[in-house]
Amino acid sequence: MFDVLVIGAGHAGCEAAAAAARRGARTGLLTFRADDAGQMSCNPSVGGVGKGHLVRELDVFDGIMAQAADRAAIHRRMLNRSKGPAVHGPRVQADRSVYRAAVQAVLAGAGVEILLGEAIRLTEARGAITGILLADGTAIACRSLVIATGTFLDARIFIGESCRKAGRFGEGPSIPLAQQVREIGLGQGRLKTGTPPRLDGRTIDWSRLEEQPSDSDPWLMSALPTGSDLPQLRCAITRTTERTHDLIRAGFHRSPLFAGAIEGRGPRYCPSIEDKVKRFGDRDGHQIFLEPEALDDPLVYPNGISTSLPEDVQLEFVRSIPGLERVEIARFGYAVEYEFVDPRRLDSRLQCLALGGLFLAGQINGTTGYEEAAAQGLVAGLNAAAHAMELDPVQFDRRTSYMGVMIDDLTLQGVSEPYRMMTARAEYRLALRADNATTRLGEQAMAADAVSAARRRHIEAHLQARGRPEFADTTEGQADALYAPYIERQRREWGSVVADCAARIAADFDFCAVPGLSTEMAERLLLARPETIDQASRIAGITPAALTALHVAVSRRAA
């Protein structure tokens, strides 16, 4: 009997298992292969704008991701450094094997029991989960169950005209579990993601490319030092060309994306290269970041050319890119289509409303990205332990965390495309900086009793230091002072939105011209054409941040 059992050892599953164990739950983690735990199945990086904020928040609760990223970092870059600190995005390029080993070491240290097998059925009694049944007939009992199967539910991989059942390169899908998810009534539809071809770095002409060095200042993802200091590598930048685009267009008729083979919708903010060429036909090039995957492996990840075109087309268009004329492809890119559930059928703890003790986390909930998955894993793991052991639940507020923003968006708005965290989704983003996560969430982390003694000492010292005059001279203190008047104005603006819901929107109002409104939000508003702010607030997917921007624009026009 486990207090908490987790299915899937990706980023969501590992964080869920570790979080439950930190709260004292006897925790099991089920996976096909033990060595897969913590694997970076797509890009070898952690963080970024919005995503890095999530990683720093995870770290306050002693989450795995920040610590593993620091131990495996071979390239660090603070994105948006030229902008204000609210949108600074810490991003780490990681050595894949070192990262995976770091995750597995944390799991072992937390006492998580690794179990091997395939879950084919959930067992329940009186409206509550009681365990699972494995393909070999083994029954495992648990009080709480977290499903974190990523892209594996009834998944298919596409490369050109070729299609096979798989959840990741070289690994089969989870079909029986997908069927049961449908039977429970959680099934929503299918989504799509993809990955680029992996290149042999020894065949790249690096001398022709623009170098991108690692940051010189030694910042860390985690507030607690890990003691690791790997050599830092340089990345490089290149671009597609007109010839690249011509070759891609010539292969459109063989693309599963345009031939109708893929039903699921892909991520808006991370489209495939064929989608970029089709949608942005007027551009003469698209930027590509060449990112080394490890210190002792020549593989290079070409960030920006995710594709499911046939292998011959991939090789031809890649070799039309400057610096890659003689490159060899070690593994071709592919698209993966998978089932996801409707996250509106979960509560703010990520527990299934229809079946007590069942929690869902990660891409199964319609998100995309390691960081979004890991953050959901933390939420599900903490609350699965609470359910099993009758502890206080841990719920996140969108006013104090990006995790709260994400959970709120998912469970209230649902998804129609893969959800990615961005700073624009948070109406309180000026107060939700990557550098003040401990200040925002430290008290809550200690109250959840899910942190180590070292972390507790750090949080207490940090919160105590805020009360001293010297704090004003720290980076965080200076940022607090910089944003104080803007945060106050932001609070007033949101108060006006709430108080002025009846404000009318002109029939000819141009939603695309609203400052600060993302293309996604503008499209949703254009489709619905709301007549008032109140109607706009009830459109699926419209965030409070979007409502604030819309209200300001409507008010200015009325004035």
Side-chain angles (χ1 to χ4, degrees), residues 120-440:
I120 62 168
R121 192 142 197 91
L122 313 183
T123 59
E124 58 179 286
R126 296 183 293 279
I129 202 76
T130 58
I132 63 171
L133 183 67
L134 302 187
D136 65 2
T138 302
I140 304 176
C142 63
R143 295 183 176 88
S144 292
L145 177 67
V146 179
I147 300 180
T149 47
T151 61
F152 281 75
L153 281 188
D154 198 13
R156 297 180 292 172
I157 279 179
F158 296 84
I159 303 178
E161 297 95 337
S162 170
C163 172
R164 63 181 182 271
K165 291 185 178 296
R168 187 164 55 199
F169 184 81
E171 299 181 47
S174 179
I175 295 176
L177 191 60
Q179 178 61 35
Q180 176 137 39
V181 167
R182 295 187 208 110
E183 290 173 4
I184 294 173
L186 295 176
Q188 162 84 356
R190 299 182 71 81
L191 293 176
K192 168 255 177 190
T193 188
T195 191
R198 302 305 196 273
L199 310 181
D200 185 338
R202 297 167 297 188
T203 61
I204 294 174
D205 185 355
W206 297 96
S207 65
R208 296 191 55 198
L209 305 175
E210 176 190 347
E211 289 188 340
Q212 188 185 58
S214 183
D215 285 348
S216 56
D217 53 322
W219 59 264
L220 297 173
M221 274 290 193
S222 177
L224 300 183
T226 62
S228 177
D229 188 20
L230 297 180
Q232 298 295 286
L233 303 181
R234 293 173 181 266
C235 295
I237 302 173
T238 186
R239 292 180 66 83
T240 58
T241 65
E242 287 286 4
R243 172 163 169 71
T244 310
H245 299 173
D246 289 341
L247 292 169
I248 291 171
R249 289 189 191 99
F252 276 177
H253 68 289
R254 299 173 63 195
S255 165
L257 192 63
F258 303 133
I262 296 177
E263 304 169 15
R265 188 166 181 177
R268 175 189 298 263
Y269 301 101
C270 189
S272 66
I273 187 61
E274 51 263 45
D275 204 20
K276 290 179 186 177
V277 170
K278 189 177 182 70
R279 288 166 54 190
F280 309 110
D282 57 330
R283 294 194 184 179
D284 59 3
H286 296 279
Q287 199 169 54
I288 303 168
F289 294 90
L290 300 177
E291 302 171 341
E293 295 202 353
L295 293 173
D296 59 357
D297 190 320
L299 285 186
V300 170
Y301 183 92
N303 196 334
I305 55 170
S306 167
T307 183
S308 58
L309 286 165
E311 293 180 358
D312 60 305
V313 179
Q314 291 190 37
L315 183 60
E316 193 173 12
F317 89 67
V318 167
R319 285 183 172 175
S320 71
I321 297 168
L324 307 183
E325 292 86 352
R326 294 178 176 81
V327 77
E328 294 293 336
I329 293 180
R331 193 174 83 207
F332 289 94
Y334 60 86
V336 56
E337 185 188 57
Y338 56 95
E339 287 197 6
F340 76 107
V341 308
D342 184 352
R344 291 173 297 183
R345 296 178 184 179
L346 309 176
D347 63 19
S348 61
R349 299 167 295 173
L350 295 183
Q351 181 175 212
C352 176
L353 295 169
L355 187 58
L358 177 61
F359 297 78
L360 277 67
Q363 285 185 270
I364 190 174
N365 289 338
T367 61
T368 181
Y370 300 156
E371 302 82 1
E372 291 86 347
Q376 291 173 72
L378 177 82
V379 176
L382 293 174
N383 286 297
H387 176 85
M389 304 170 66
E390 299 183 349
L391 304 174
D392 290 335
V394 182
Q395 292 163 292
F396 292 87
D397 192 319
R398 69 181 300 127
R399 293 172 296 183
T400 56
S401 69
Y402 275 95
M403 288 193 285
V405 171
M406 178 176 63
I407 301 302
D408 198 51
D409 287 350
L410 292 174
T411 59
L412 295 180
Q413 306 282 4
V415 297
S416 58
E417 61 188 56
Y419 178 98
R420 177 177 179 170
M421 178 47 66
M422 300 176 294
T423 54
R425 295 192 187 276
E427 64 273 31
Y428 300 102
R429 57 188 170 275
L430 297 183
L432 307 183
R433 306 190 308 271
D435 67 4
N436 70 352
T438 299
T439 297
R440 293 186 279 113

Side-chain angles (χ1 to χ4, degrees), residues 1-10 13-14 17 25-38 104 107-108 111-120 130-136 138-146 148 171:
M1 167 66 76
F2 287 97
D3 293 316
V4 176
L5 182 61
V6 181
I7 302 176
C14 289
R26 184 189 175 195
T27 305
L29 178 59
L30 180 70
T31 181
F32 290 130
R33 299 183 302 199
D35 194 47
D36 285 342
Q104 292 174 10
L107 291 173
V112 174
E113 298 179 47
I114 304 296
L115 310 172
L116 303 182
E118 179 186 4
I120 62 168
T130 58
I132 63 171
L133 183 67
L134 302 187
D136 65 2
T138 302
I140 304 176
C142 63
R143 295 183 176 88
S144 292
L145 177 67
V146 179
E171 299 181 47

Side-chain angles (χ1 to χ4, degrees), residues 433 436 438-440 460-472 474 476-477 480:
R433 306 190 308 271
N436 70 352
T438 299
T439 297
R440 293 186 279 113
E460 290 173 341
H462 181 87
L463 297 179
Q464 187 178 22
R466 283 185 60 83
R468 298 173 186 166
E470 295 85 358
F471 182 79
T474 66
E476 185 183 334
D480 286 348

